[in-house]
Amino acid sequence: MKSGFWWGAATSAFQIEGARDSRGDSTWDQFCETPGKIAGGHNGDHAARHFEFWREDLDLLRLLGANSYRFSISWPRIFPNGASEVGAGGLEFYDRLVDGLLERGIEPLVNLFHWEIPLWVKPEESILNGDFAKHFGDYAGVVAGKLGDRVKHWMTMNEPNCLIGDGFGGTVHAPGYGWTGQKLMQAQAGLLDAHHLSCSSIRKCCSGAQITVALAGTVVCPVDPTAEESAYQATFALDTPTHWSFSLYADPIYSGEFPTGFTQAFGFDPPQVRWSEESIPDFTTLNLYSGTRYTEGGLLKAVPGAPASAVEWPVVPEILYWGPKFFERRYGKPILIGENGLASMDWVTLDGDVPDHHRIDFIRRHLIELKRAVDDGVNVIGYHHWSLLDNFEWQEGYRKRFGLVHVDYETFKRTPKASFFELAKLIKSNGIGL
Ligand code: BG6
């Protein structure tokens, strides 16, 4: 890869921190308490106890050879009870974390929002009446004011389409409202406004800040060159009414305009969103896990028994070639792979190791495709594996494992898996040999 390429891993606060008693409650705490929502009735109260073990976790990142780490800030840790009161110890925790990263030669990429909304924000009203965006903009200003002297790379939010599609529209993620139609679209607009106001706050507090937002979705990969144009169009097509389309979020973020064809697809006019040049990401972050394959004849059906993850996502490594290529073409910005990883059922063997060979193969196959994109001239600036640690996997509870490092949820012992050492080797050689 190019020199200065970011090699690292990503995590999120609710999924790893634990220490619920030292933060305010969020929509995800409430959701976990709703019977039947989370496998095994699990919750984020302990997660991987990163709040306690953060030094050990940063040492693991150093052992991996990472030069970059994406983590998220827990909004309810900064503002536990309301807009006027910054919580004791929350900012200090992240302050120490940032210093700990810099001491280890690791560049922090701070994500302000990975879906846990403080309960006092009352999203059922505030996402519709503009208060959510206002509170979020203020929160961004407080965090950037504290960390902006050392943190230059900021992510306003993770996968807004997942929060809207699964959380406001669906019922499988918090807050689980099941909204539809214009109301759901208004919620999406409220979230896009929050992106805009947080960009303004960050840019105000932190000169030279590089801002991004993580986008997720399905990349449609052409299997032959003649299908490239149709696959590109299909990747950005409007997907109604599920709110999962890349373009439904990225177009208004990059240009202030919803995609052409919106009114026809949804049956009503697009909402207004707050936007200015400040809202435009400086680089595009893509969280890519899965994709589909396409020929001129249409989408290819996966062969029965084809490789798939433990959450049943088909393994389609070309997403790391076509995703960066298509996004660079459409939005013109450098590309970071912000998440890419495999859910599986790993355990510590009698020998004391975790031989996750399928994850090694997953990583190699995906990085070979990413390298192909780089060799073809796509400006890819980094790769963050999801995830550093096994963690609370949302509706799956603790039963699906995404980590490079195994976490024992009784003892909280960390055991680097075989894939950790393989990725460390690839990082050390800067991808030579892929
Ligand atoms: C990403 C999220 O979409 O996928 C992560 O940003 C999540 O938070 C990861 O853990 C795995 O997804 P899922 O849907 O299996 O929980």
Side-chain angles (χ1 to χ4, degrees):
M1 301 292 183
K2 286 181 295 190
S3 86
F5 188 83
W6 277 356
W7 289 102
T11 59
S12 97
F14 191 86
Q15 293 180 273
I16 62 166
E17 283 180 2
R20 179 176 175 182
D21 51 358
S22 57
R23 59 164 171 77
D25 277 351
S26 76
T27 43
W28 265 97
D29 295 303
Q30 193 178 50
F31 197 68
C32 291
E33 281 160 10
T34 313
K37 290 295 183 189
I38 312 293
H42 300 163
N43 58 46
D45 292 5
H46 61 72
R49 281 173 60 183
H50 169 74
F51 194 74
E52 216 173 309
F53 291 107
W54 64 272
R55 285 187 189 81
E56 191 180 325
D57 295 339
L58 298 197
D59 286 344
L60 283 165
L61 274 172
R62 183 164 54 185
L63 184 66
L64 181 66
N67 58 3
S68 168
Y69 173 54
R70 170 192 153 191
F71 65 94
S72 80
I73 306 258
S74 162
W75 186 3
R77 205 176 273 296
I78 307 302
F79 286 100
N81 304 315
S84 55
E85 184 200 332
V86 175
L91 275 173
E92 289 68 23
F93 171 68
Y94 297 109
D95 196 51
R96 286 192 296 272
L97 194 70
V98 165
D99 284 344
L101 285 165
L102 294 173
E103 279 158 20
R104 290 166 178 81
I106 302 167
E107 182 70 26
L109 167 55
V110 172
N111 169 22
L112 287 168
F113 183 54
H114 205 117
W115 308 337
E116 69 270 48
I117 306 169
L119 282 185
W120 63 263
V121 169
K122 296 195 173 71
E124 67 280 25
E125 297 155 24
S126 63
I127 198 82
L128 302 173
N129 68 18
D131 285 351
F132 181 100
K134 191 187 155 305
H135 292 316
F136 190 74
D138 294 346
Y139 153 67
V142 167
V143 178
K146 178 79 175 176
L147 306 179
D149 55 338
R150 285 150 294 155
V151 173
K152 297 296 164 215
H153 297 93
W154 295 87
M155 177 176 286
T156 58
M157 57 185 70
N158 180 66
E159 303 178 6
N161 56 344
C162 197
L163 177 66
I164 295 297
D166 282 349
F168 282 85
T171 55
V172 291
H173 275 195
Y177 295 150
W179 291 350
T180 56
Q182 261 173 302
K183 186 173 185 182
L184 183 57
M185 187 49 74
Q186 210 186 320
Q188 180 180 328
L191 195 60
L192 293 173
D193 288 349
H195 164 77
H196 167 76
L197 291 181
S198 61
C199 286
S200 305
S201 299
I202 298 165
R203 295 198 196 280
K204 222 170 270 149
C205 300
C206 175
S207 77
Q210 294 280 298
I211 301 183
T212 191
V213 47
L215 303 164
T218 301
V219 177
V220 181
C221 303
V223 293
D224 46 62
T226 54
E228 178 172 341
E229 189 54 33
S230 317
Y232 172 86
Q233 299 301 340
T235 295
F236 294 101
L238 282 175
D239 176 10
T240 54
T242 62
H243 287 240
W244 267 97
S245 334
F246 279 125
S247 58
L248 196 55
Y249 295 80
D251 280 13
I253 286 174
Y254 285 84
S255 71
E257 302 289 333
F258 280 88
T260 329
F262 179 103
T263 307
Q264 202 188 358
F266 282 93
F268 51 84
D269 288 338
Q272 289 291 313
V273 288
R274 287 168 177 262
W275 186 86
S276 76
E277 300 249 315
E278 284 190 324
S279 321
I280 304 176
D282 298 289
F283 58 100
T284 297
T285 298
L286 297 176
N287 293 354
L288 299 180
Y289 288 87
S290 187
T292 50
R293 296 192 170 106
Y294 194 85
T295 64
E296 269 309 347
L299 287 178
L300 282 183
K301 273 209 179 124
V303 178
S309 74
V311 287
E312 291 175 19
W313 294 342
V315 175
V316 182
E318 313 92 274
I319 53 175
L320 256 59
Y321 176 78
W322 292 107
K325 207 174 159 85
F326 285 170
F327 271 81
E328 186 183 65
R329 169 176 162 190
R330 191 170 179 102
Y331 303 109
K333 296 290 179 183
I335 308 289
L336 169 70
I337 300 302
E339 289 183 23
N340 167 246
L342 181 77
S344 68
M345 314 287 276
D346 312 313
W347 65 83
V348 181
T349 64
L350 286 173
D351 297 330
D353 54 10
V354 185
D356 58 340
H357 296 300
H358 41 282
R359 185 172 285 105
I360 291 178
D361 190 60
F362 179 98
I363 291 173
R364 290 191 68 85
R365 283 177 191 268
H366 283 77
L367 285 175
I368 286 170
E369 293 295 330
L370 190 65
K371 172 86 170 34
R372 195 156 72 89
V374 171
D375 291 345
D376 277 4
V378 181
N379 187 7
V380 182
I381 58 173
Y383 172 84
H384 282 174
H385 191 78
W386 183 269
S387 181
L388 177 65
L389 304 170
D390 287 340
N391 62 29
F392 173 79
E393 198 43 57
W394 308 118
Q395 71 272 30
E396 300 288 349
Y398 294 96
R399 70 181 177 170
K400 298 285 156 65
R401 294 178 180 269
F402 269 95
L404 293 165
V405 176
H406 180 276
V407 177
D408 178 321
Y409 293 114
E410 267 175 0
T411 61
F412 293 91
K413 181 172 187 296
R414 275 81 165 128
T415 308
K417 302 178 189 176
S419 57
F420 176 99
F421 297 108
E422 183 65 23
L423 182 58
K425 263 196 258 164
L426 286 169
I427 293 177
K428 196 160 185 205
S429 70
N430 196 23
I432 291 169
L434 278 168

